């Protein structure tokens, strides 16, 4: 769908989400598009490499009239390697490009100037020219000569390659009236460029805090120690690459915050974090997630027994900390030998981590009690479990917890994102009076999680009390209708501004 079938009202730019990844942000995007059938949506998907995204997981609603994929790390599409000699004065242009990147949020003129420079200094020049090599080498010796040059070179290369792809998108994009990004990062950066280029409103909705989540990814990654020279004995070993990436993601975040007209988050504390990361407070606002209560409440009646099953719905990736769930399950099974732990979610995003989790399951003697079930329809799951859990080290406002509440399932989660607000209530006095809808534990506290699971599996009166709190809270504060109504107001205010 490279040409729009109808005029585009709103362009949504997703990074690594809809339509290839299920749940979370993807569900939210699908909800927004389906809930506004009178609005024509365009969609840009940004991914790393095409081979990572083989099958669309959603059928497009009829009001998606434009779809484009942008893959920013495809080595086979890079220009062929060849030596390029350039005038040394080009080094001044590279310096100018870097300086302009720090100022492009301030005006369309600076963006246009930068766009022209990038048009002249092409990707092949960046990759293979003698001037680019000299610039990279000089910067390394000026700032990082005690670190690994190989790490520095590949980091700089990987950070810069997507820029040419993203600028190309602006040049071929059809007319649109509004751009909406569900994150900062590359998606938010492209949305900001489009906002400046086309002088249209830009709405940013952050589900988690992108900059913070990338810091967690970088902290838990083992990329950074393999090529660090053995002569570097400092405590900061490997921090060069991590710091460059952290600064890069922070820069993308700031650019998104400066260019966006409206900066939304899902809960109050996330808004405070956005402001601490540089978001102008006057632009920020909160719109919580919402779920389809009518679709999920029939599961309350369908449930026939108090099953000894705990379910974690999420991707099998390190940020979900599946290993802590497995350790907690070992403690539960010691007390309740028939208890089961279901892990419902895709396992192919980080296959090495999935293998580690499978091995840990065997090591802990849990192969009869723990099941990795892959993606499942939640309508086939919630009437068969008693506890819904998340053991994540970072979350925004998890839809799976709200969906579980609507199906009458209390939750046990780690104290991340808005989980404490969902379980204890925080919106107003009435929300707090509704009462506790589960338990909260510290991140990586397997014993706390296990004791909470055991309490809800063995004390049915407690379970029923928390079930009622869950149903009341989600029905009053977190409905699909409220979500759509809130976004309709924002969309139409922004669209009408142009007329």
């Amino acid at each position: 769908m490279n040409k729009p079938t109808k005029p585009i009202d709103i362009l949504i730019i997703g990074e690594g989400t809809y339509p290839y990844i299920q749940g979370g942000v993807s569900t939210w995007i699908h909800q927004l598009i389906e809930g506004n059938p009178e609005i024509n949506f365009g969609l840009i998907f940004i991914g790393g490499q095409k081979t990572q995204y083989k099958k669309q997981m959603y059928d497009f609603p009829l009001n998606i009239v434009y779809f484009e994929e942008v893959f920013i790390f495809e080595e086979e599409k890079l220009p062929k390697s060849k030596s390029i000699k350039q005038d040394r004065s080009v080094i001044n242009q590279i310096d100018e490009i870097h300086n302009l990147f720090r100022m492009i949020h301030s005006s369309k003129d600076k963006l246009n100037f930068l766009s022209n420079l990038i048009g002249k200094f092409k990707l092949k020049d960046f990759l293979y020219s003698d001037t680019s090599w000299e610039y990279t080498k000089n910067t390394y010796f000026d700032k990082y000569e005690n670190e690994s040059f190989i790490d520095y070179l590949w980091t700089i290369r990987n950070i810069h390659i997507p820029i040419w792809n993203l600028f190309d998108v602006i040049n071929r994009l059809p007319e649109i009236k509004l751009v909406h990004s569900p994150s900062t990062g590359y998606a938010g950066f492209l949305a900001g460029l489009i906002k400046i280029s086309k002088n249209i409103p830009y709405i940013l909705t952050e589900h988690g805090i992108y900059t913070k989540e990338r810091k967690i990814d970088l902290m838990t990654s083992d990329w950074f120690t393999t090529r660090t020279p053995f002569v570097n004995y400092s405590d900061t070993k490997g921090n060069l690459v991590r710091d460059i990436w952290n600064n890069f993601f922070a820069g993308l975040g700031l650019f998104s915050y400066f260019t966006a007209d409206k900066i939304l988050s899902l809960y109050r504390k996330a808004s405070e974090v956005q402001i601490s990361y540089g978001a102008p407070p006057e632009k920020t606002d909160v719109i919580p997630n919402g779920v389809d209560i009518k679709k999920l409440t029939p599961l309350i009646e369908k449930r026939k027994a108090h099953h000894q099953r705990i379910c974690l719905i999420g991707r099998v990736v390190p940020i979900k900390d599946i290993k802590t769930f497995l350790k907690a399950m070992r403690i539960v099974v010691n007390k309740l030998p028939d208890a089961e732990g279901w892990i419902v979610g895709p396992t192919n995003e980080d296959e090495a981590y999935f293998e580690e989790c499978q091995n840990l399951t065997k090591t802990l003697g849990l192969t009869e009690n723990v099941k990795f079930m892959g993606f499942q329809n939640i309508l086939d799951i919630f009437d068969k479990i008693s506890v819904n859990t998340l053991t994540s080290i970072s979350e925004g406002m998890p839809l799976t917890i709200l969906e579980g509440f609507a199906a009458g399932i209390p939750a046990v989660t780690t104290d991340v994102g808005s989980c404490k607000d969902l379980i204890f209530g925080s919106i107003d006095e009435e929300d707090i009076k509704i009462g506790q809808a589960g338990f909260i534990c510290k991140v990586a506290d397997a014993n706390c999680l296990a004791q909470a699971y055991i309490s809800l599996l063995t004390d049915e009166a407690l379970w029923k009390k928390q079930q009622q709190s869950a149903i009341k809270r989600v029905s009053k504060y977190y409905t699909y209708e409220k979500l759509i109504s809130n976004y309709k107001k924002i969309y139409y205010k922004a669209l009408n501004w142009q007329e």
Side-chain angles (χ1 to χ4, degrees):
M1 204 186 299
N2 291 326
K3 291 184 178 179
T5 55
K6 295 178 181 176
I8 303 169
D9 298 311
I10 298 173
L11 179 72
I12 293 182
I13 304 174
E15 180 181 329
T17 56
Y18 189 79
Y20 290 107
I21 303 294
Q22 288 177 311
V25 175
S26 294
T27 300
W28 175 87
I29 292 172
H30 196 73
Q31 282 180 324
L32 275 185
I33 295 171
E34 278 196 324
N36 291 282
E38 75 283 11
I39 295 175
N40 291 330
F41 285 87
L43 182 68
I44 290 181
F45 171 84
I46 298 177
Q49 298 176 339
K50 175 70 176 172
T51 53
Q52 297 172 304
Y53 306 97
K54 295 175 181 172
K55 181 183 175 187
Q56 289 191 18
M57 308 306 288
Y58 293 84
D59 293 329
F60 279 164
L62 293 176
N63 55 331
I64 292 184
V65 299
Y66 175 78
F67 177 53
E68 178 172 354
E69 299 164 306
V70 181
F71 296 102
I72 54 179
F73 292 117
E74 293 203 296
E75 284 284 330
E76 63 272 20
K77 292 191 177 177
L78 293 178
K80 288 185 180 177
S81 173
K82 67 174 184 178
S83 177
I84 299 173
K85 292 193 177 297
Q86 288 180 317
D87 190 289
R88 287 180 57 80
S89 64
V90 174
I91 287 182
N92 296 331
Q93 286 186 21
I94 301 174
D95 249 343
E96 199 162 8
I97 288 172
H98 276 119
N99 290 332
L100 280 166
F101 262 113
R102 299 184 184 97
M103 298 185 289
I104 52 173
H105 63 270
S106 61
S107 77
K108 185 174 180 178
D109 288 344
K110 287 191 170 54
L111 175 65
N112 289 340
F113 192 43
L114 176 62
S115 186
N116 288 335
L117 279 178
I118 286 183
K120 293 175 184 172
F121 188 75
K122 299 184 182 302
L123 179 57
K124 63 182 174 64
D125 299 322
F126 166 70
L127 292 172
Y128 310 126
S129 73
D130 56 347
T131 50
S132 177
W133 170 257
E134 187 173 346
Y135 187 88
T136 304
K137 192 176 61 175
N138 291 343
T139 307
Y140 167 77
F141 281 116
D142 280 349
K143 298 179 180 177
Y144 308 110
E145 65 174 340
N146 292 326
E147 305 287 350
S148 161
F149 179 71
I150 297 297
D151 282 349
Y152 177 75
L153 177 66
W154 281 96
T155 302
I156 294 301
R157 174 186 161 103
N158 288 333
I159 280 176
H160 285 76
I161 285 173
I163 290 170
W164 278 268
N165 287 327
L166 297 179
F167 269 84
D168 281 347
V169 173
I170 303 173
N171 296 330
R172 61 176 179 264
L173 196 64
E175 287 301 310
I176 56 176
K177 296 177 181 175
L178 186 157
V179 61
H180 188 178
S181 174
S183 70
T184 60
Y186 293 108
F189 178 67
L190 178 57
L193 294 178
I194 292 170
K195 183 257 181 337
I196 298 168
S197 171
K198 295 186 175 294
N199 192 27
I200 59 173
Y202 165 22
I203 295 167
L204 169 65
T205 303
E206 277 199 284
H207 291 251
I209 304 298
Y210 184 98
T211 306
K212 181 182 172 187
E213 291 184 347
R214 296 296 77 74
K215 277 186 181 179
I216 293 171
D217 288 343
L218 293 166
M219 287 296 292
T220 55
S221 172
D222 58 1
W223 295 353
F224 308 110
T225 56
T226 55
R227 290 186 299 274
T228 305
F230 71 92
V231 293
N232 183 352
Y233 293 110
S234 73
D235 291 335
T236 59
K237 182 179 179 181
N239 283 353
L240 161 72
V241 177
R242 188 177 290 135
D243 288 348
I244 291 174
W245 277 107
N246 276 334
N247 290 336
F248 172 69
F249 289 130
L252 293 183
L254 275 175
F255 177 77
S256 300
Y257 291 152
F258 280 126
T259 50
D261 297 284
K262 192 82 177 168
I263 302 169
L264 301 167
S265 58
L266 308 187
Y267 56 103
R268 180 177 49 80
K269 286 181 183 172
S271 185
E272 291 170 0
V273 174
Q274 287 175 323
I275 292 168
S276 74
Y277 276 44
E282 67 278 9
K283 292 184 181 180
T284 60
D285 205 346
V286 175
I287 296 182
N289 273 336
V291 295
D292 189 342
I293 304 289
K294 292 175 188 170
K295 184 175 79 173
L296 292 160
T297 47
L299 296 176
I300 299 170
E301 297 300 323
K302 193 176 173 186
R303 192 169 181 277
K304 300 300 182 189
H306 193 59
H307 308 286
Q308 288 200 347
R309 292 195 191 106
I310 306 143
C311 183
L312 187 156
I313 300 175
R315 296 167 295 134
V316 180
V317 292
I319 205 166
K320 299 295 181 184
D321 197 5
I322 306 297
K323 292 178 183 176
T324 289
F325 177 62
L326 296 173
K327 293 171 189 170
M329 278 305 301
R330 181 62 263 173
I331 299 170
V332 172
V333 172
N334 289 344
K335 175 88 175 176
L336 305 170
D338 294 330
E340 292 182 12
W342 287 3
I343 300 166
V344 173
T347 58
N348 58 354
E349 192 170 323
D350 188 335
E351 291 179 355
Y353 183 75
F354 175 45
E355 187 176 347
E356 290 173 15
C357 290
Q358 287 180 306
N359 290 337
L360 182 59
T361 304
K362 290 177 189 170
T363 302
L364 293 173
L366 291 171
T367 50
E368 297 297 318
N369 300 87
V370 170
K371 297 178 181 177
F372 291 91
M373 302 175 71
F375 178 80
Q376 301 283 326
N377 187 335
I378 57 171
L379 298 178
D380 298 327
I381 294 292
F382 280 136
D383 62 316
K384 301 178 181 65
I385 65 170
S386 293
V387 180
N388 191 17
T389 191
L390 284 176
T391 53
S392 309
I393 56 178
S394 180
E395 286 285 350
M397 177 173 281
L399 274 173
T400 179
I401 298 302
L402 295 172
E403 289 166 338
F405 281 4
I409 310 297
V412 177
T413 76
T414 41
D415 187 7
V416 292
S418 65
C419 290
K420 185 181 281 185
D421 295 345
L422 298 180
I423 287 176
F424 290 98
S426 68
I427 292 177
D428 52 30
E429 286 298 318
E430 192 176 347
D431 187 23
I432 295 168
K433 283 181 183 174
I434 286 173
Q436 195 170 334
F439 292 95
I440 287 284
C441 294
K442 291 179 184 174
V443 169
D445 190 342
N447 186 57
C448 174
L449 291 160
Q451 298 312 317
Y453 299 153
I454 292 168
S455 294
L456 287 168
L457 294 180
T458 57
D459 186 344
E460 197 164 350
L462 172 69
W463 183 89
K464 285 182 177 174
K465 185 179 177 184
Q466 296 198 350
Q467 180 200 43
Q468 291 307 307
S469 298
I471 294 169
K472 285 180 187 173
R473 179 160 296 125
V474 72
S475 301
K476 181 167 179 58
Y477 296 101
Y478 301 101
T479 66
Y480 171 77
E481 290 77 12
K482 281 193 176 193
L483 170 75
I484 298 302
S485 171
N486 284 329
Y487 272 99
K488 268 192 196 298
K489 289 174 190 169
I490 286 177
Y491 281 161
Y492 279 101
K493 185 176 180 182
L495 290 170
N496 292 336
W497 168 78
Q498 301 168 82
E499 294 175 351

